[in-house]
Amino acid sequence: MTILEIVAFTLIKIVIILSLMLFTVSYLVYFERRVSAWIQNRLGPNRVGWQGILQPFADVFKLLLKEDIVPEKANKKLHAIAPIIALFVAFSTYAVIPFGPELQIFNYKIPLVVADVNIGILFVLALTSLGVYAITFAGWSSGSKYSLLGGIRSSAQMISYEISMGFSIGGVLLFAESLRPIAIVESQSGWMWNAIVQPIGFITFLVSAFAETNRLPFDLPEAEPELVGGFHTEYSSMKFAAFFLAEYANMIIAAGLIVTLYLGGWQIPYIDKLGLPSLVETLLQVGAFVFKLIAVLFFFLWIRWSLPRFRYDQLMNIGWKVMFPLSLLNIIWVAILIMIFN
Amino acid sequence: MEEVESKPVKRRTKDLNLWEKIYIPEIIKGLALTFRNIFRPKFTMEYPEVKFEPPASYRGRPVLVQEESGVERCVACGLCSRVCPALAIEVQAAETELEKERFPEKFEINMIRCIFCGFCEEVCPEEAIVMSKDYELAFFNREDALYGKDKLLVPASELEDRIKFLRQYK
């Protein structure tokens, strides 16, 4: 492929991924509202369009028409920058998550990932830790005590759980012997999914992912009964919407990471034995990735409406005294496995 | 006292066994419970299509009882107007050839002021003003909120269960 073709294909992928992300994020909000309603024996929004399918558009238009209020004592610049950082981090992380194997079409081999970076996992960790800045800036610049408390809580929480997250990824990297997301997916061929091989690492990663995305049971940064709205108390209109979208985009990224690292990515076990045409096989595998992603996202929502919020000291206790040792134990377990079978 | 003793003893962290301390089995139990709830029947009443049918004890908008002859029971004594804490009722009495001798020439309830306390109904000696089951009260301007006799008169047959309820419990 010439450079021009590579640029063209990458641009196409960027446009598709970005628009798909925006679309999925808004529908994830709708999905969350429906699922939460079902779990609580309600119906949820089902009025706008068939079964409320147009609800996200109504919500976005409403938010666009709202007045944008900036508190008098806010640090105006940081107040405006914070949601931008949140959105930037949320959308750019997705660039390295592969959603399918190489697509072979018209003699071109197109890898189904925006950027096939050989340090992809490092890139994800680096960018997601930038996300703390968005929340901390938002909390600090609002000039409100509730926002500040929310921001501080979130930074402490994210820093604590990043450690166990990093260590649980360590186990995966030992197996794959690479930081390339595609190589990690390929190392889990057949039923050698990391979730099955290293269940402890899977659980610690899952819990840390919940903490990183500020979802219940770890949504202390925006605990409504104590902190009004947490770090986004003083945000309104599209700035609030930006935080809202970023939160849900982060959920999709966390789900994408879980699928890539632990659930075998796009792979369907033993599909190559069926001898399907390569295009059909590729599409099926992309479908498998989407299916796994949706299943993990449903799990996120399901957990939210099942578990109560942790207290702050319990959160720190679990993070440092349980999750951290467990993720270390997982690395030892993986090392033993490799020593025996290699 | 016996009831207090029969309550289950509160279990603290140290009383839990290892299985419960691992926490994950308990989470799975909770998840199973919420998952089962997804398929249970929903309680939501889809309002404009399905309407709530209130019980006889419901206090909707106050109405005047209209006899089968088409005449209202009200004798325009003005007690409801006196007792109304929100000063929502205005009555103007006039004479009539009928047996009751007095009738309300003008009977007006300001539905913006009405607080649905039901005092008017309670104080009425003639069982002439009762609370109906009508809860759909929306207006586009303040003038529409002034309910005159034309809107207030409701045939007694439609208010039977409320009148029965009043006779039993008032």
Side-chain angles (χ1 to χ4, degrees):
Chain A
M1 279 199 283
T2 61
I3 290 193
L4 202 70
E5 281 168 344
I6 293 174
V7 170
F9 281 128
T10 314
L11 277 178
I12 291 171
K13 277 188 286 192
I14 289 174
V15 169
I16 290 174
I17 287 286
L18 204 61
S19 46
L20 262 181
M21 271 295 266
L22 278 167
F23 183 79
T24 333
V25 162
S26 49
Y27 271 91
L28 186 58
V29 179
Y30 164 73
F31 189 51
E32 158 129 55
R33 289 174 67 186
R34 286 315 294 270
V35 169
S36 63
W38 291 332
I39 287 178
Q40 296 164 359
N41 299 337
R42 295 184 288 118
L43 285 170
N46 65 350
R47 289 285 154 162
V48 194
W50 177 80
Q51 286 291 311
I53 210 81
L54 296 174
Q55 186 71 39
F57 296 100
D59 289 345
V60 168
F61 284 128
K62 189 207 79 173
L63 278 164
L64 277 170
L65 294 172
K66 289 265 169 182
E67 187 190 355
D68 185 16
I69 302 162
V70 180
E72 204 176 278
K73 291 201 174 162
N75 183 327
K76 305 271 178 331
K77 274 180 198 158
L78 282 183
H79 192 78
I81 287 173
I84 299 173
I85 299 179
L87 262 190
F88 161 72
V89 169
F91 283 117
S92 55
T93 316
Y94 205 83
V96 297
I97 295 175
F99 51 93
E102 271 188 336
L103 179 68
Q104 286 186 329
I105 190 166
F106 309 128
N107 299 328
Y108 291 119
K109 279 186 174 177
I110 310 160
L112 287 182
V113 54
V114 174
D116 186 10
V117 195
N118 56 2
I119 50 155
I121 298 301
L122 207 61
F123 175 81
V124 171
L125 284 179
L127 267 182
T128 46
S129 55
L130 271 182
V132 182
Y133 284 101
I135 292 175
T136 321
F137 280 171
W140 183 76
S141 66
S142 292
S144 150
K145 290 180 189 70
Y146 291 125
S147 305
L148 184 62
L149 278 172
I152 289 171
R153 274 186 182 188
S154 127
S155 49
Q157 173 183 326
M158 280 179 145
I159 289 165
S160 312
Y161 277 85
E162 226 150 57
I163 293 169
S164 54
M165 195 175 192
F167 274 108
S168 7
I169 291 177
V172 176
L173 299 183
L174 278 179
F175 256 122
E177 295 174 349
S178 170
L179 280 161
R180 244 180 96 216
I182 292 179
I184 290 171
V185 172
E186 278 162 0
S187 77
Q188 308 173 56
S189 54
W191 278 111
M192 285 285 283
W193 290 5
N194 281 324
I196 296 164
V197 179
Q198 32 181 319
I200 302 175
F202 177 56
I203 287 167
T204 48
F205 186 84
L206 199 65
V207 174
S208 314
F210 274 96
E212 286 286 306
T213 48
N214 291 329
R215 292 283 300 175
L216 254 146
F218 301 108
D219 73 334
L220 286 126
E222 43 187 295
E224 303 95 354
E226 310 147 30
L227 297 181
V228 190
F231 61 88
H232 57 56
T233 309
E234 304 295 344
Y235 280 90
S236 51
S237 183
M238 260 334 258
K239 281 184 192 157
F240 169 74
F243 275 117
F244 204 62
L245 288 182
E247 192 194 319
Y248 282 86
N250 276 330
M251 259 170 78
I252 294 177
I253 285 155
L257 270 181
I258 289 168
V259 171
T260 311
L261 295 176
Y262 289 94
L263 299 177
W266 66 78
Q267 301 197 58
I268 306 172
Y270 309 117
I271 193 177
D272 47 335
K273 302 246 164 67
L274 290 174
L276 293 164
S278 79
L279 189 66
V280 176
E281 193 180 308
T282 310
L283 287 179
L284 268 180
Q285 283 172 323
V286 172
F289 179 80
V290 172
F291 175 77
K292 286 176 191 176
L293 195 73
I294 290 172
V296 175
L297 285 173
F298 176 76
F299 185 71
F300 266 81
L301 308 181
W302 185 13
I303 282 277
R304 175 168 182 188
W305 300 103
S306 302
L307 297 184
R309 184 181 298 124
F310 279 101
R311 217 167 52 208
Y312 194 66
D313 60 316
Q314 291 171 332
L315 173 93
M316 284 297 158
N317 259 335
I318 293 173
W320 289 98
K321 293 186 189 162
V322 181
M323 286 304 148
F324 180 43
L326 272 182
S327 52
L328 278 179
L329 191 74
N330 177 57
I331 288 191
I332 296 169
W333 162 251
V334 174
I336 291 171
L337 274 185
I338 290 174
M339 214 169 70
I340 295 169
F341 293 104
N342 208 2
Chain B
M1 275 308 283
E2 274 172 53
E3 266 183 39
V4 174
E5 274 167 319
S6 67
K7 262 187 180 175
V9 186
K10 195 188 171 193
R11 299 172 79 198
R12 297 178 186 284
T13 321
K14 62 176 167 45
D15 303 324
L16 301 176
N17 59 33
L18 184 69
W19 185 249
E20 287 164 331
K21 268 185 190 165
I22 292 174
Y23 203 65
I24 287 166
E26 298 295 312
I27 289 181
I28 293 168
K29 266 193 214 169
L31 286 175
L33 182 80
T34 42
F35 195 75
R36 255 178 279 135
N37 269 292
I38 291 179
F39 304 104
R40 280 179 45 193
K42 312 292 177 223
F43 288 107
T44 313
M45 201 178 268
E46 288 184 87
Y47 164 62
E49 292 95 44
V50 185
K51 279 180 182 163
F52 168 56
E53 183 54 43
S57 59
Y58 189 83
R59 292 204 303 264
R61 83 180 165 97
V63 293
L64 289 176
V65 181
Q66 190 178 27
E67 297 287 13
E68 272 157 44
S69 56
V71 185
E72 71 284 311
R73 279 186 188 172
C74 182
V75 292
C77 64
L79 274 175
C80 48
S81 171
R82 292 294 308 259
V83 82
C84 182
L87 306 179
I89 305 176
E90 193 191 332
V91 191
Q92 265 172 33
E95 276 182 34
T96 170
E97 297 300 312
L98 292 165
E99 196 193 340
K100 64 178 182 177
E101 288 177 5
R102 278 158 65 89
F103 84 104
E105 194 177 44
K106 178 187 177 190
F107 198 106
E108 205 171 72
I109 300 182
N110 187 340
M111 288 313 293
I112 293 176
R113 305 205 99 190
C114 178
I115 57 169
F116 306 93
C117 59
F119 281 6
C120 45
E121 171 192 58
E122 213 169 298
V123 83
C124 185
E126 299 287 325
E127 225 167 46
I129 183 166
V130 296
M131 309 301 276
S132 67
K133 289 179 182 179
D134 188 4
Y135 53 82
E136 286 172 319
L137 304 159
F139 352 91
F140 287 100
N141 55 55
R142 279 153 196 269
E143 283 71 40
D144 285 353
L146 294 173
Y147 279 26
K149 266 170 81 174
D150 53 325
K151 283 180 185 165
L152 288 174
L153 284 173
V154 171
S157 54
E158 284 174 31
L159 300 163
E160 256 167 25
D161 56 343
R162 179 69 187 179
I163 291 167
K164 222 173 114 190
F165 169 82
L166 287 175
R167 286 187 187 150
Q168 196 177 348
Y169 296 108
K170 194 168 125 180

